[in-house]
Amino acid sequence: MRINKFLAEKGVASRRHADEIIQAGRVTVNGILATLGVNVEDGDEVCVDGQPLSREEKQEKYYIMNKPKGVICTVSDDRGRKTVMDLLPEDAGRVFPVGRLDYETEGLLILTNDGELSYKLTHPTSEV
């Protein structure tokens, strides 16, 4: 598995942000500085900032929220608006909203770290 996907599955960062972490020299595989595109195999020791990542399987998390009006449906906002992430408990971990609701819309929203479920919900006619 590619290193950026591995880091994303471990909840370290999104794949895109994982690439930035790797390029910054913050990731090692078996004590060797990781490069973009390197593959991680079972038994490899992967460290971020010198801290080894657990080899345990990722535990999927699911949250169902009634998104109120005046909250943006995104993980972060560069304009400082309140996001759905601000409404989750502090220990929610790295999750993301499935789908979108407009800023002034309220309604049911699912947040998860389960990428496969997210894909199936947003692409109902696609095969995974």
Side-chain angles (χ1 to χ4, degrees):
M1 164 183 318
R2 287 171 101 61
I3 186 72
N4 62 350
K5 181 176 181 183
F6 178 83
L7 293 174
E9 286 188 1
K10 292 298 177 186
V12 173
S14 67
R15 286 189 197 186
R16 184 175 295 136
H17 189 238
D19 286 342
E20 294 171 8
I21 293 170
I22 294 162
Q23 287 177 314
R26 297 174 50 197
V27 180
T28 59
V29 177
N30 299 324
I32 300 169
L33 198 60
T35 57
L36 292 177
V38 71
N39 284 316
V40 177
E41 306 292 332
D42 285 340
D44 285 344
E45 181 185 56
V46 179
C47 296
V48 177
D49 296 330
Q51 299 297 312
L53 298 179
S54 169
R55 295 302 296 186
E56 294 177 17
E57 289 294 314
K58 175 181 83 173
Q59 182 178 4
E60 276 85 12
K61 295 182 180 182
Y62 307 93
Y63 293 92
I64 298 174
M65 171 187 297
N66 182 25
K67 186 195 91 58
K69 292 180 182 180
V71 175
I72 192 163
C73 193
T74 187
V75 174
S76 62
D77 181 53
D78 58 358
R79 293 169 41 190
R81 295 174 290 187
K82 190 172 199 170
T83 73
V84 292
M85 303 306 287
D86 296 325
L87 305 177
L88 292 175
E90 287 187 25
D91 64 347
R94 186 178 179 279
V95 295
F96 51 90
V98 177
R100 298 271 183 225
L101 293 173
D102 291 336
Y103 182 72
E104 287 300 323
T105 301
E106 64 180 73
L108 179 69
L109 182 66
I110 298 172
L111 297 103
T112 184
N113 63 350
D114 185 342
E116 185 174 337
L117 174 69
S118 176
Y119 185 84
K120 286 179 180 179
L121 291 174
T122 56
H123 300 83
T125 58
S126 298
E127 302 239 354
V128 176

